[in-house]
Amino acid sequence: MPPYQVLILTDKEDRDFRNSAELHFSQANIDTATAPAEPVDALLLPGENIDRPLHQLRSGQWHWPADIPAFTLGKAHPLADGDYTQLSEQLANWLTQYQQRRAQLAQLPEAIAPLERFLQYAWPRPGFTLRAQWQLSQHSNYHYPILRALGLDDEQRLLQQWQQQEVLESTELLDRVRQCPHCHSEQINFVDTCPSCKSIDIHSTIALHCFTCGHVGEQRQFQQDNALRCPTCLTQLRHIGVDYDRPLERFACNSCQQRFIEGEVVGRCPNGHASNPSELLERRIYHYRLGPGADQFASSGRVFDNRALQWGESVSLENFSWLLRWNNASARRHRHQHLLLFLNWAGIGQAI
């Protein structure tokens, strides 16, 4: 097993790591302007504030390759490959497997499509896990940092497509969130409204119902001279269940004066869309691991997607060509006829 060069990126000089037969450590300042440019096999970031350096690394802002193995010290991070304190004994084996798998992908064409760019990063890493992270934002609170660092937008669509292609397999359900059915925002504010006029100006109150005359009103209207007395018929209310009771309608609307038992809940997003809770979309947040589709890509440079297509779903050019050849062969065999229709709209990209 060859020795591996591990570069420690830190702003301190009191870090001490033992050398071994397989790992040799050197040290550099975390500032990329002063970092040495000699080839290294892995990076080690032992500091606490590593979010920004790791994002710069994975997004290609440093002179090291964006997919170079990087490890943290005592703190897991979604843009890193693990905690050094847990991998120190197996780190040399991990790097050996990584370089072997990386060399296998080097024979494939340059990664251009989102799936290719993702697998070029993920597949060489033994035991790779795509982990979600919660971060408050204006649209979606959950995101996958490595997809964002690689410049892969529209995470939900990509994850759904990669699951269908068996490139990814869900491993752990992290959370379930609700989305606006109009704009898919997850910033939903739930508010009670009046079932009659839909006003949000409602309040909770205690009401009384006089058995003598049937008057219903707020309890404060019945309080006279330290006793309960009906403001309409002036009957003194002594015993609940005999002289009066409390109606089930616990809420009242200040706009239309309507009384009701429960308000009508409405979910509102920052874009002004109002929806009933039953209309909100459910999004399940998972952690993922690589599936058999990723191994197909590593061995052949493509993912074989021969599943049944859904109406309106995009398809790769290779799968479209395969499907067209299969349709033609089937039509000749069974003496059927079919039509290939091509529609093109000028400016469709700008319209979308």
Side-chain angles (χ1 to χ4, degrees), residues 5 105 113 163 186 212-213 226 237 260 267 288 296 298 300 318 332 344:
Q5 298 292 333
L105 291 186
Q163 276 191 286
E186 295 174 5
T212 303
C213 66
N226 295 326
L237 310 179
F260 46 91
Y288 296 95
Q296 291 179 358
S300 62
E318 292 182 349
R332 293 192 188 100
N344 183 36

Side-chain angles (χ1 to χ4, degrees), residues 213-329:
C213 66
H215 176 74
V216 177
E218 295 187 11
Q219 179 172 305
R220 58 183 176 83
Q221 300 175 353
F222 291 78
Q223 293 175 343
Q224 300 179 18
D225 300 329
N226 295 326
L228 294 178
R229 193 180 304 275
C230 178
T232 301
C233 65
L234 302 180
T235 302
Q236 186 173 359
L237 310 179
R238 294 183 174 87
H239 305 289
I240 187 170
V242 177
D243 302 322
Y244 70 100
D245 66 356
R246 291 188 173 90
L248 295 177
E249 292 82 359
R250 300 183 299 111
F251 297 92
C253 176
N254 294 327
S255 298
C256 67
Q257 311 307 318
Q258 181 73 23
R259 303 187 63 87
F260 46 91
I261 299 176
E262 293 290 345
E264 183 176 305
V265 180
V266 175
R268 294 181 176 178
C269 73
N271 296 321
H273 302 127
S275 308
N276 293 328
S278 60
E279 298 174 342
L280 298 177
L281 305 177
E282 181 187 69
R283 179 191 177 195
R284 291 174 172 254
I285 310 299
Y286 289 97
H287 295 318
Y288 296 95
R289 66 187 175 196
L290 298 182
D295 296 329
Q296 291 179 358
F297 172 82
S299 60
S300 62
R302 58 165 295 191
V303 177
F304 298 95
D305 188 8
N306 297 331
R307 58 187 172 80
L309 298 176
Q310 303 295 325
W311 175 255
E313 182 181 357
S314 62
V315 62
S316 66
L317 182 60
E318 292 182 349
N319 287 331
F320 174 76
S321 300
W322 176 88
L323 183 61
L324 189 60
R325 290 194 300 270
W326 180 86
N327 262 332
N328 288 336

Side-chain angles (χ1 to χ4, degrees), residues 105 114-124 167 290 293-294 297 303:
L105 291 186
L115 176 59
E116 297 171 352
R117 292 163 57 190
F118 169 69
L119 289 180
Q120 286 279 9
Y121 173 87
W123 191 81
V167 172
L290 298 182
F297 172 82
V303 177

